[in-house]
Amino acid sequence: MDSAQETIIAFLETVHPYDSLPRDVLTRVAAQFRRREYPENSEVYAAGEPLSGLYLVKRGAVEVLDPNGALVSVLGPRNSFGERGLLRDGLAMTSARTTRDSVLLMLPKAELRRLIDEYPAFERFFSRARQSAGHGADLATTKVSELMARKPLTCDPETPVAEAARLMRDNNVSSLGVVEGDGEAARLTGIVTTRDLTARVLAEGLDGSTPVGLVMTPDPLTLAPGSLGSDILHMMLERRIGHLPVVENGVLRGMITQTDLTRFQAVSSAQLIRDVATADTVEEMTEVTERIPRLLMQLVGAHNAHEVVTRLITDIADAVTRRLLVLAEARLGPPPVPYLWLACGSQGRQEQTGVSDQDNCLFLDDAVRPDDMDYFARLARFVCDGLNAAGYFHCPGDMMATNPRWCQPVRVWRQYFRNWVETPDPEAQMLASVMFDLRPIGGTSSLFRDLQAETLEMASRNSIFVAHMISNSLKHQPPLGLLRGFATIRSGEHRNHIDMKLGGVIPIVDLGRIYALQGRLSEVNTRARLLAAEEAGVVSVSGGRDLIEAYDMIASMRLESQAALVRSGRKPDNYLAPSDLSDFERSHLRDAFVVVRTMQSALGHGKGALG
């Protein structure tokens, strides 16, 4: 072995992921590298040129520019570049030029591909480069407001059905919104479709003068203009309906039908929802949920925003839960009193990823009798065991409807919240944190509606409770080291990793919950809470924007890490090795953690988020 190769080996031993290679493999790889010297201001390659290998900076500096000449990054020793083009079609996606006299090492693309195929550390390190550079609009991520093709046609409840039929025929539509009032004051009260006219008028022999109000579907399911296209698909497939009114503040803004969706292809999340909605057994649902990691990988690879990815993943859990409730009632018979199944935790916040347990509870109508409790105990056991079989594991803390403590009448739940607020001991703080993330999933939603508003008001007025909640939220700290590094796990399976859930996402979730409490904000999703807190003045504009950007980076990197694990054939988890990141990524991730720590400090020192 000559001295030049020994020098390259010594250098590679200081560069990740080469430092993870066995000695004999490292020796082989070092022999493959080609050493090249470039004077200052030399072009290494231009955008669109064929790339013969991966470049590694040994000495000097290189700037990378996009095809328009805009600066993308400045690289120094131990930084790699050129991999995005190599791992796509072999053509450079950027241009590279030295800014100082530089020594670069070039690894042939065949050797790079071999390393990625054979060693997980290389697959993880370069996985981001393998993702597609762009992704066109699809139905799942398109806003409902962008899908509405025309102004909605309406009639009032007194309109004769014959006139309504002519209105639909003349305008070539299959439904009308039934409203009361005029203009912006009009409120949607129902919907009538051509199917209604067939089944409820013609089939029943009713006269054409029959008022629409007698045959319409009252209080129909609706969506807001800001909902996603996935909401349309999931609701239509799960509830077997073909028309959805789009409503904002009670006013009908549009109508979405199955015909409106024909220009879009249904994405895989909608396919999973459909398969869940038609499943007759837990085993069939389990077959569906086993496809979620693949869906996660595809959604992340398509560069969807993290809040879209987690929303689509959570929608599947919601559908599984509702389907299990249907199957439970089919087995046990109709419930003796109305009930409401609610989710808390990540499902409640619509933030599920590829790793999820279950957190849920049951609200029962106050008319429930002691003899009725056995029915709900059996329903809870059926649903929770079904969720567990489908991959949503039993909660280690027993925060589930199978626990009699969390299967109670509304009056008991009201007293629970009152006691937690008035006596905020450590258990009360923990339970209140969980329960403030409640979201109705299936059943009679009105059982929770008033309770949520009154609890927020009661809690926000109690300064002692708020102070205890703030103190409790600050227990989760970002993993920042003392010397501009990260505080990684020191031993065990995840040694030298950081927990992107406990140290990354959870501190921001806690902040969002406190802001929602202080501002009496009804939002449950973390990002929605941060946006609402900024709009309501609970946080300053600059502090809110910084925190949202920090959250977006941390949550996105967590999902990208999980997707990389799935891509390599492993189960997703929440652990990320900082050494797998580029210097650029490590710097920005640390900056994001610093923002979170700063906002925590402001809250902890009594300045609120405005300090």
Side-chain angles (χ1 to χ4, degrees):
M1 183 184 305
D2 59 29
S3 60
Q5 188 174 352
E6 289 178 348
T7 301
I8 292 177
I9 291 174
F11 176 67
L12 294 178
E13 287 177 331
T14 70
V15 180
H16 189 76
Y18 302 96
D19 58 350
S20 64
L21 293 174
R23 180 68 183 188
D24 59 332
V25 178
L26 182 62
T27 301
R28 184 199 79 205
V29 172
Q32 295 292 317
F33 270 101
R34 299 292 178 262
R35 185 180 186 277
R36 297 179 178 177
E37 296 185 7
Y38 292 85
E40 182 180 356
N41 292 326
S42 296
E43 184 177 80
V44 181
Y45 57 75
E49 287 185 358
L51 285 170
S52 55
L54 172 73
Y55 289 87
L56 175 63
V57 182
K58 187 175 187 297
R59 187 178 71 242
V62 174
E63 62 180 13
V64 178
L65 310 171
D66 70 13
N68 297 315
L71 182 65
V72 175
S73 60
V74 177
L75 307 176
R78 298 179 179 81
N79 288 151
S80 298
F81 60 98
E83 66 272 17
R84 287 182 63 88
L86 280 177
L87 297 174
R88 295 188 72 223
D89 54 14
L91 299 179
M93 300 174 62
T94 56
S95 60
R97 176 181 294 275
T98 61
T99 58
R100 295 202 302 267
D101 291 346
S102 302
V103 174
L104 307 180
L105 301 177
M106 193 276 289
L107 183 68
K109 60 183 178 182
E111 184 64 31
L112 175 62
R113 292 180 183 276
R114 180 178 177 183
L115 289 171
I116 289 175
D117 290 339
E118 294 181 358
Y119 294 96
F122 278 80
E123 201 286 331
R124 291 197 303 270
F125 190 81
F126 292 110
S127 63
R128 291 176 181 83
R130 304 177 83 174
Q131 296 174 357
S132 57
H135 182 66
D138 59 41
L139 177 59
T141 56
T142 300
K143 292 287 184 68
V144 165
S145 57
E146 298 172 7
L147 293 171
M148 296 186 297
R150 59 189 299 172
K151 278 191 69 175
L153 289 173
T154 63
C155 66
D156 62 54
E158 301 304 317
T159 301
V161 291
E163 183 179 333
R166 284 192 294 271
L167 186 60
M168 284 190 268
R169 179 200 63 190
D170 294 343
N171 289 275
N172 195 29
V173 297
S174 57
S175 63
L176 296 174
V178 183
V179 299
E180 292 182 343
D182 298 318
E184 289 295 317
R187 289 292 182 267
L188 180 74
T189 61
I191 179 176
V192 62
T193 68
T194 53
R195 184 176 179 180
D196 294 330
L197 298 180
T198 300
R200 300 175 182 176
V201 179
L202 291 177
E204 298 298 329
L206 298 183
D207 189 83
S209 61
T210 303
V212 162
L214 295 181
V215 298
M216 71 179 184
T217 299
D219 300 319
L221 294 169
T222 64
L223 287 173
S227 300
L228 299 176
S230 63
D231 295 324
I232 305 171
L233 281 170
H234 297 172
M235 197 172 289
M236 283 185 173
L237 292 169
E238 187 179 353
R239 307 299 179 87
R240 294 181 173 85
I241 55 179
H243 301 78
L244 277 171
V246 180
V247 174
E248 186 177 31
N249 298 325
V251 178
L252 182 66
R253 300 298 186 192
M255 188 76 70
I256 297 292
T257 71
Q258 290 178 342
T259 303
D260 296 321
L261 310 183
T262 56
R263 61 193 174 96
F264 290 94
Q265 288 186 331
V267 297
S268 54
S269 60
Q271 178 68 45
L272 266 61
I273 292 286
R274 189 190 72 175
D275 292 346
V276 165
T278 57
D280 292 323
T281 65
V282 172
E283 290 73 21
E284 290 178 9
M285 277 183 273
T286 301
E287 291 177 1
V288 177
T289 55
E290 286 175 347
R291 286 142 54 191
I292 290 177
R294 186 88 187 164
L295 171 64
L296 171 70
M297 184 186 72
Q298 293 172 347
L299 292 171
V300 173
H303 300 286
N304 287 294
H306 69 88
E307 68 271 19
V308 172
V309 176
T310 55
R311 170 63 180 277
L312 296 179
I313 297 294
T314 305
D315 284 349
I316 299 169
D318 292 354
V320 170
T321 304
R322 285 191 286 265
R323 186 59 180 162
L324 287 168
L325 288 170
V326 170
L327 296 179
E329 289 189 24
R331 171 180 292 194
L332 302 174
V337 298
Y339 70 87
L340 177 62
W341 186 281
L342 301 100
C344 42
S346 59
Q347 184 183 0
R349 297 189 303 272
Q350 295 180 300
E351 294 166 5
Q352 286 191 316
T353 67
V355 188
S356 297
D357 60 3
Q358 56 175 291
D359 299 281
N360 45 60
C361 59
L362 268 171
F363 280 30
L364 309 178
D365 189 278
D366 282 337
V368 67
R369 299 173 303 175
D371 291 346
D372 299 329
M373 297 306 292
D374 180 63
Y375 175 95
F376 292 109
R378 286 185 289 156
L379 180 140
R381 175 57 59 190
F382 181 89
V383 175
C384 287
D385 286 352
L387 287 169
N388 183 70
Y392 305 99
F393 306 114
H394 287 141
C395 175
D398 204 19
M399 187 69 68
M400 297 181 295
T402 48
N403 184 338
R405 187 180 185 185
W406 311 129
C407 177
Q408 293 291 336
V410 173
R411 64 176 181 275
V412 174
W413 279 103
R414 181 172 278 107
Q415 191 60 47
Y416 280 168
F417 280 104
R418 184 172 299 280
N419 291 344
W420 294 336
V421 171
E422 293 177 352
T423 312
D425 57 31
E427 183 192 39
Q429 296 168 36
M430 183 274 292
L431 294 174
S433 295
V434 173
M435 294 304 173
F436 274 124
D437 294 349
L438 284 174
R439 182 172 61 89
I441 303 297
T444 305
S445 58
S446 60
L447 293 176
F448 177 65
R449 190 178 302 129
D450 294 338
L451 182 58
Q452 181 189 32
E454 74 178 56
T455 301
L456 274 174
E457 182 178 358
M458 174 180 61
S460 64
R461 288 201 313 263
N462 190 317
S463 59
I464 296 176
F465 173 76
V466 173
H468 279 286
M469 287 289 288
I470 290 174
S471 177
N472 187 60
S473 73
L474 300 181
K475 293 177 181 177
H476 297 118
Q477 295 284 330
L480 290 169
L482 296 178
L483 301 175
R484 292 197 57 78
F486 298 100
T488 59
I489 298 169
R490 295 184 177 182
S491 61
E493 178 185 359
H494 302 294
R495 181 173 177 267
N496 296 329
H497 287 66
I498 54 178
D499 188 333
M500 291 293 284
K501 177 183 178 181
L502 192 62
V505 171
I506 291 300
I508 306 174
V509 169
D510 290 340
L511 286 172
R513 188 182 298 115
I514 295 298
Y515 299 155
L517 175 60
Q518 291 176 327
R520 302 180 189 178
L521 308 173
S522 60
E523 286 80 1
V524 177
N525 174 264
T526 297
R527 200 174 193 280
R529 280 172 166 170
L530 299 180
L531 289 169
E534 180 188 332
E535 184 176 345
V538 178
V539 295
S540 65
V541 173
S542 60
R545 294 285 167 82
D546 285 348
L547 188 56
I548 290 170
E549 289 183 7
Y551 180 50
D552 287 345
M553 167 161 282
I554 294 168
S556 296
M557 293 187 76
R558 178 192 181 199
L559 287 176
E560 289 170 5
S561 177
Q562 290 189 4
L565 290 171
V566 174
R567 192 179 298 110
S568 63
R570 288 172 292 170
K571 291 184 178 180
D573 61 34
N574 290 303
Y575 299 96
L576 173 69
S579 59
D580 285 349
L581 304 176
S582 67
D583 290 344
F584 180 84
E585 290 171 319
R586 283 196 296 271
S587 175
H588 279 70
L589 179 59
R590 190 182 188 281
D591 288 345
F593 286 150
V594 169
V595 169
V596 178
R597 177 73 65 84
T598 301
M599 298 299 282
Q600 287 182 324
S601 179
L603 203 58
H605 286 83
K607 300 177 183 178
L610 295 169

